[in-house]
Amino acid sequence: MKLLKTAVLLLISLNCFSQSISLPKESKLKFGDNPEWASPNFNDSEWQTQIFPNSFKDVKYDSSYCWYRIKLTIPSTLKTNNGKGLKLKLGKIDDVDQTYINGNLIGETGSLPPNYVTKWGEQRVYTIPENMVQWDKENVIAVRIYNLIGGMGMWEGPYTIEPLGWIDEVSVSHSFMETAKNSFSTKITFTNKTDNTFSGTVKYWIADKANKKVLFTETKNVNLPAKPGAETEVTFANFKSATENVFNVGYQINDNNSSLFSKKEQFFIAANHIEIPVLKEVKPLVKNKIQNNYNTVTFQNERFNGFLGTRFDKNLTQRLLKVDEFGLIGSYLDRPGIHPWAGEHVGKYLETACNVWKLTGNRDLKKQMDRLMYQLINTQKEDGYLGTYTPDQYWTSWDVWSHKYNLHGLLAYYAATGYKPALESCQKMGNLLCRTFGNNPGQMDIIEAGTHMGMAATSVLDAMVDLYKYTADKKYLDFCYYILEAWDQDNGPKVISTILATGKVNKVGNNKSYEMLSNYVGLIKLYQITGDKKFLKATELAWQDVVTNQLYITGTSSSHEYFQEDKYLPAGIKDNMGEGCVTTTWVQLNQNLFETTGDIKYLNELERTVYNHLLAAENPQTGCVSYYTPLMNKKPYTCHITCCQSSVPRGIALVPKFTFGNINKIPTVLFYEPAIYKDKVMTSDKNIIEVAFNLEGNFPESGNIVLSVTGSKPASFSVALRVPEWCTNYTAKAGDKVYKGIANQFITITKNWKPGEKVMISFDMPATTIPGGKNYPNQVAFQRGPQVLALDGSLNSAVVNDLFSNFKEGVSIDNPSLVNESKLLPANWVGKQAYSVNILNSNEKIVLVPFAEASQTDGEMRVWLPLQIKN
């Protein structure tokens, strides 16, 4: 038997009871603080009406306190037989709360000043004693909230009241075992949390995909001993279908001693044997009005052998092939999702996997992405809905956002394989979005459907442009223009108008970095298909402001996920800098701008980000990812799935798009990584021939490169070489001719190329220092070539680590000249670079490694160093 990788043991959130009620969606809200507001007799008629969940991230509030008052009737049918009370679920609250019922304090989470402790991410579950309840009458739940910075409010459910009983004393988990094609069995495990016995029955059933026809049912007894930790397993008979592989699986657990029951239903898709045939790679139907000045070669015609090749392989073997598949798809199989943005992960994965599969042809990855794609499209509702929310929560919070990433992932899968059902799923989603949002009667406002002044929801612009290109259906383009109109509504983020007026990204919307940059990625794509220069101008202004005022030296942005005041770039672990999602979206923005314009300045930023912050965010040994990647302290790598853990591998998988390609139809070397590229080249006499370009060397360790140019026959054509902005003494020798390069320009070699002819390339990568700026005055960072270097404590002596951990002044070095110290690297270290500089008047030396490799063995690190440079 083979355990289904996407269905592991899960703790069940028991989501249906014989006795439970939902809180009303509407409440009363007021900013400020007054203990009288807890009283059930207080008159709140003049307070504003508030629908939750909601967070006040996008508005200015005049107090650090606010109160919600929720009124509801609690029926006496919720009374328990044993008087245990009721369980009140208030979801997650930003930041600290005290909760009252009818004037009585029943619980608090976090700590108010002066000992402030935030608990914004914790579920609130409080017990209501039955003697505090006004049965069959109006009750008032009052929630006092304190917040110091950022969002504020009741931002995520669930919001229910239910009786306490056996459900709170017994944990239930289940697993599926896929035993053969379209065949599986189910096991349910009961674990006692108390010293009370439990006896009951569990009725199990399997229905068809539409949940209209029961295919199998079985009922078994459950008896759980009165001992904490005691377990009982119930296994149901193996089920096999001759034709179907998508099922609704459910069970109901009944207590023999009370009327409380739990009911669970979810999809099970027998996907282990799914293998989708590859028909062909699909091209968009709609061509860009603005033709690209840069075009990459296809991933299938690229092979990487060196530094980037190693990191690409680690991204595949340590991250993608080891990913928690149920963590990606589980929130679709078992709605609602485990958190509001759980739906974004599988779409991000599919886009990443498609790019990596095209590059590597890895068969295991193809099988994995086949089954995840198949499971995803088979959870789509008939109306096209493909999110993780329940109907009462459709189009709130991050729902549109998740549809965006599903569009990206399924379009990438369709483009890579030609599998039409993936495109049809996208069309269903697109049609639903077009029906749901707009300015016509009965349609919703997309700004109100997403967080951060609507920027989360309107970032679907990017995916809708792509959907239009692959279908040529004009309603999708019309929807893109609707988004632009929505931006300029009174409640909109003014993505175009504000940047045109101010040139400042920290004035756009609520200055949330990830969502805003995602909108500009969509805008540059819209420029490509429409030619509207205003779209390009707005995007370029945003780009320029980020580069000038918001960009870290490692090629990322954001602190606490927002653009800050100009040149304020704190880099410690508590500064939550360099969100991985921001880093990847910055890569996307530069990639699209470079493709559109061919301007080398965008490639410079791509190189800065790739060789520093992007690769730094993924541990090459484990594949774990840091959500925020600081320049100081340890990198906080984790392996579970979050938005950044899905984004960073996606960014790495994009890199082959801009290492080599054609600028103005001339094959051009952009990165000097050891690699082989195959392309079709137009010769001087207008013929097309196949040419292989083989780069050999050990960049970024050294700048000595050999480029072999092998055409299918001798021919005259041009080859261009980028001269990096950070290099000196650049030369390229082709035959007897030597070309001298100028930094930040291109060399073009036009000649009659014989098959296998070589170009000898050489350049220096001198070490330079970068001043610490506003946040790190009197400190410096080291850079060599494109790489920022960092001190890794695991490679340095205790004396050196003490100098910098205690921030001792007066540490001096000579004008930096790096000495190769690769011999100091441990055997398990991924990477080959280490350098040292000597401390003056000391026998000690500072050992530095590329920031992208630092902290991989959990070492403390520093990019900014309090050093004096003696010239």
Side-chain angles (χ1 to χ4, degrees):
M1 287 190 213
K2 185 176 181 182
L3 183 65
L4 180 63
K5 294 180 180 178
T6 55
V8 296
L9 279 172
L10 303 166
L11 184 64
I12 297 172
S13 174
L14 300 173
N15 57 354
C16 182
F17 304 93
S18 60
Q19 298 165 315
S20 96
I21 60 171
S22 297
L23 272 59
K25 285 188 175 182
E26 287 192 357
S27 66
K28 291 291 186 177
L29 173 81
K30 186 174 178 64
F31 289 97
D33 192 36
N34 187 334
E36 294 181 3
W37 296 348
S39 171
N41 300 318
F42 178 79
N43 183 359
D44 57 20
S45 59
E46 294 186 357
W47 287 21
Q48 72 183 70
T49 299
Q50 180 62 48
I51 297 175
F52 52 75
N54 189 54
S55 176
F56 294 94
K57 287 186 177 181
D58 308 332
V59 298
K60 303 294 182 183
Y61 39 87
D62 55 7
S63 173
S64 292
Y65 288 88
C66 75
W67 285 69
Y68 287 79
R69 285 172 56 88
I70 306 160
K71 298 177 182 179
L72 76 163
T73 299
I74 301 179
S76 55
T77 55
L78 291 188
K79 285 184 179 181
T80 61
N81 297 334
N82 48 22
K84 288 185 176 180
L86 305 179
K87 181 166 56 179
L88 171 65
K89 294 183 178 180
L90 292 179
K92 296 179 181 179
I93 296 175
D94 196 352
D95 281 339
V96 180
D97 77 286
Q98 291 179 326
T99 296
Y100 301 79
I101 185 163
N102 299 326
N104 301 293
L105 180 66
I106 58 171
E108 57 185 298
T109 304
S111 180
L112 295 168
N115 301 311
Y116 170 65
V117 177
T118 176
K119 295 289 185 180
W120 68 274
E122 288 198 12
Q123 289 281 346
R124 271 62 169 178
V125 181
Y126 300 131
T127 297
I128 304 175
E130 293 190 15
N131 61 4
M132 293 183 184
V133 178
Q134 298 292 321
W135 297 107
D136 300 316
K137 298 178 182 178
E138 184 178 82
N139 294 262
V140 177
I141 297 170
V143 184
R144 181 193 187 204
I145 298 175
Y146 174 82
N147 176 67
L148 182 62
I149 188 173
M152 185 180 201
M154 299 175 65
W155 66 275
E156 178 186 334
Y159 306 107
T160 61
I161 295 177
E162 56 205 39
L164 285 164
W166 72 267
I167 292 168
D168 304 286
E169 300 175 350
V170 177
S171 66
V172 184
S173 61
H174 69 257
S175 61
F176 300 119
M177 184 81 75
E178 187 170 346
T179 53
K181 186 176 182 180
N182 300 347
S183 176
F184 68 98
S185 64
T186 303
K187 179 175 69 177
I188 303 175
T189 303
F190 299 80
T191 305
N192 204 335
K193 297 188 286 185
T194 71
D195 54 5
N196 297 323
T197 61
F198 172 75
S199 63
T201 59
V202 55
K203 181 182 179 180
Y204 168 79
W205 64 90
I206 301 171
D208 62 2
K209 178 181 178 180
N211 210 14
K212 294 180 179 179
K213 180 182 178 182
V214 175
L215 307 174
F216 175 82
T217 185
E218 188 175 5
T219 300
K220 291 194 173 185
N221 293 321
V222 182
N223 292 290
L224 196 57
K227 180 182 178 182
E231 282 191 356
T232 294
E233 293 182 349
V234 177
T235 301
F236 295 95
N238 187 69
F239 173 79
K240 180 175 178 61
S241 171
T243 57
E244 299 186 49
N245 62 358
V246 182
F247 311 96
N248 275 278
V249 179
Y251 53 87
Q252 180 169 310
I253 304 166
N254 296 299
D255 179 19
N256 289 340
N257 300 304
S258 75
S259 59
L260 283 179
F261 68 87
S262 69
K263 184 178 179 181
K264 180 72 176 176
E265 289 186 288
Q266 74 166 75
F267 277 115
F268 174 74
I269 301 173
N272 263 4
H273 300 275
I274 295 295
E275 189 168 350
I276 306 297
V278 178
L279 302 178
K280 61 178 180 178
E281 191 167 0
V282 181
K283 302 296 183 183
L285 299 178
V286 178
K287 293 183 178 180
N288 288 338
K289 183 171 289 188
I290 303 300
Q291 295 299 306
N292 285 348
N293 281 292
Y294 167 77
N295 292 281
T296 186
V297 298
T298 61
F299 279 41
Q300 294 89 332
N301 287 327
E302 299 180 89
R303 291 292 178 269
F304 293 86
N305 305 310
F307 172 78
L308 283 184
T310 298
R311 297 305 294 265
F312 293 163
D313 180 68
K314 297 296 184 182
N315 195 36
L316 167 66
T317 60
Q318 299 302 314
R319 186 64 196 170
L320 293 179
L321 291 178
K322 293 183 178 180
V323 75
D324 172 11
E325 292 187 31
F326 192 86
L328 296 176
I329 196 65
S331 291
Y332 289 90
L333 298 172
D334 184 16
R335 295 180 173 103
I338 57 173
H339 56 71
W341 54 89
E344 72 184 62
H345 303 304
V346 67
K348 287 181 176 180
Y349 160 84
L350 283 172
E351 183 185 15
T352 304
C354 288
N355 284 333
V356 173
W357 172 70
K358 287 190 294 184
L359 182 69
T360 66
N362 186 276
R363 299 180 69 178
D364 290 335
L365 182 63
K366 175 63 166 57
K367 291 178 181 179
Q368 183 188 64
M369 69 190 213
D370 283 353
R371 62 177 170 263
L372 283 164
M373 178 282 307
Y374 188 81
Q375 289 179 93
L376 179 63
I377 65 174
N378 275 287
T379 64
Q380 188 168 33
K381 301 292 186 179
E382 290 185 6
D383 64 357
Y385 180 80
L386 193 51
T388 61
Y389 289 51
T390 52
D392 61 314
Q393 295 295 313
Y394 281 1
W395 312 124
T396 61
S397 191
W398 298 91
D399 207 7
V400 178
W401 177 265
S402 295
H403 282 77
K404 172 188 76 170
Y405 280 111
N406 284 335
L407 285 167
H408 280 309
L410 291 172
L411 282 174
Y413 189 92
Y414 168 66
T417 66
Y419 186 62
K420 198 69 176 291
L423 176 64
E424 292 167 350
S425 177
C426 292
Q427 290 172 300
K428 292 175 184 176
M429 280 188 280
N431 295 344
L432 178 61
L433 290 169
C434 291
R435 292 196 306 270
T436 302
F437 299 103
N439 295 319
N440 296 320
Q443 290 186 303
M444 295 177 62
D445 177 1
I446 196 168
I447 300 298
E448 297 292 338
T451 59
H452 303 297
M453 295 185 71
M455 289 193 296
T458 61
S459 68
V460 76
L461 171 67
D462 176 8
M464 291 299 279
V465 172
D466 288 343
L467 184 59
Y468 168 64
K469 291 177 67 174
Y470 277 98
T471 62
D473 190 331
K474 187 176 178 296
K475 68 171 173 285
Y476 304 139
L477 180 61
D478 293 340
F479 187 82
C480 295
Y481 278 103
Y482 159 67
I483 289 176
L484 269 58
E485 292 177 23
W487 282 346
D488 269 341
Q489 294 172 183
D490 290 343
N491 61 343
K494 316 292 191 297
V495 171
I496 294 177
S497 57
T498 296
I499 200 69
L500 292 177
T502 69
K504 311 299 295 181
V505 291
N506 59 13
K507 302 296 183 184
V508 175
N510 67 339
N511 60 297
K512 182 67 162 58
S513 306
Y514 177 21
E515 290 74 10
M516 187 194 308
L517 289 176
S518 298
N519 278 271
Y520 285 121
V521 171
L523 191 59
I524 189 62
K525 287 187 175 182
L526 191 60
Y527 164 70
Q528 291 170 334
I529 63 168
T530 65
D532 191 326
K533 293 183 179 179
K534 182 172 70 173
F535 304 160
L536 175 63
K537 183 179 180 181
T539 307
E540 289 180 326
L541 282 172
W543 179 90
Q544 187 61 60
D545 186 48
V546 173
V547 170
T548 304
N549 297 306
Q550 302 287 343
L551 197 67
Y552 288 85
I553 61 172
T554 50
T556 192
S557 191
S558 79
S559 174
H560 297 285
E561 304 190 8
Y562 288 79
F563 291 125
Q564 304 294 328
E565 65 181 67
D566 286 358
K567 301 186 186 301
Y568 178 72
L569 300 167
I573 196 165
K574 293 183 179 180
D575 297 307
N576 291 351
M577 65 149 292
E579 181 189 3
C581 298
V582 173
T583 304
T584 290
T585 311
W586 179 241
V587 167
Q588 290 179 283
L589 184 63
N590 280 281
Q591 172 209 330
N592 280 278
L593 283 165
F594 179 58
E595 288 177 352
T596 302
T597 66
D599 194 324
I600 198 173
K601 67 183 181 183
Y602 302 120
L603 188 72
N604 291 340
E605 297 308 325
L606 286 165
E607 183 181 63
R608 186 188 325 279
T609 301
V610 169
Y611 280 98
N612 296 291
H613 222 88
L614 179 64
L615 293 179
E618 185 175 273
N619 189 319
Q621 295 197 25
T622 64
C624 298
V625 171
S626 51
Y627 192 111
Y628 307 110
T629 308
L631 306 189
M632 320 291 272
N633 315 110
K634 295 180 182 180
K635 296 175 186 173
Y637 292 119
T638 58
C639 292
H640 60 268
I641 294 175
T642 68
C643 58
C644 295
Q645 276 78 351
S646 297
S647 287
V648 169
R650 182 176 178 231
I652 294 172
L654 291 173
V655 175
K657 286 181 177 284
F658 45 79
T659 58
F660 180 95
N662 290 274
I663 298 179
N664 298 321
K665 300 182 179 180
I666 296 175
T668 305
V669 175
L670 301 172
F671 284 15
Y672 285 92
E673 286 290 332
I676 299 173
Y677 305 96
K678 295 180 181 179
D679 199 10
K680 293 182 178 180
V681 175
M682 179 177 289
T683 64
S684 300
D685 55 4
K686 307 301 181 184
N687 290 316
I688 301 295
I689 65 169
E690 292 187 356
V691 181
F693 300 87
N694 187 1
L695 284 161
E696 298 175 282
N698 62 348
F699 183 86
E701 294 173 65
S702 84
N704 297 314
I705 314 293
V706 178
L707 169 64
S708 300
V709 181
T710 305
S712 54
K713 62 181 180 179
S716 176
F717 52 88
S718 297
V719 176
L721 308 172
R722 168 181 169 250
V723 183
E725 61 177 346
W726 37 259
C727 78
T728 59
N729 301 321
Y730 186 103
T731 62
K733 184 179 180 182
D736 295 329
K737 189 170 182 179
V738 176
Y739 300 80
K740 292 188 176 181
I742 299 174
N744 216 32
Q745 294 187 14
F746 292 94
I747 287 173
T748 301
I749 303 174
T750 303
K751 64 185 298 293
N752 188 48
W753 297 90
K754 298 176 183 178
E757 194 163 352
K758 301 182 185 302
V759 180
M760 312 303 292
I761 301 167
S762 177
F763 50 80
D764 295 332
M765 292 183 282
T768 59
T769 57
I770 305 169
K774 181 186 294 188
N775 293 89
Y776 298 93
N778 303 316
Q779 299 191 51
V780 297
F782 290 89
Q783 181 171 333
R784 179 184 179 275
Q787 295 173 303
V788 172
L789 305 180
L791 181 153
D792 187 307
S794 69
L795 302 173
N796 281 271
S797 70
V799 173
V800 170
N801 287 328
D802 181 64
L803 284 175
F804 295 111
S805 63
N806 294 311
F807 203 82
K808 295 179 180 179
E809 296 182 357
V811 181
S812 301
I813 63 169
D814 278 325
N815 195 38
S817 178
L818 300 179
V819 177
N820 189 335
E821 298 281 4
S822 58
K823 63 181 181 296
L824 298 178
L825 296 173
N828 65 333
W829 191 268
V830 178
K832 300 177 180 179
Q833 295 171 266
Y835 307 96
S836 68
V837 292
N838 290 322
I839 299 175
L840 290 179
N841 305 314
S842 169
N843 293 324
E844 297 292 334
K845 59 187 177 182
I846 304 168
V847 179
L848 304 166
V849 295
F851 170 66
E853 297 167 358
S855 202
Q856 63 179 270
T857 57
D858 206 33
E860 289 278 348
M861 61 164 192
R862 291 187 66 96
V863 166
W864 295 115
L865 300 169
L867 292 173
Q868 295 179 15
I869 311 296
K870 301 294 185 180
N871 294 317

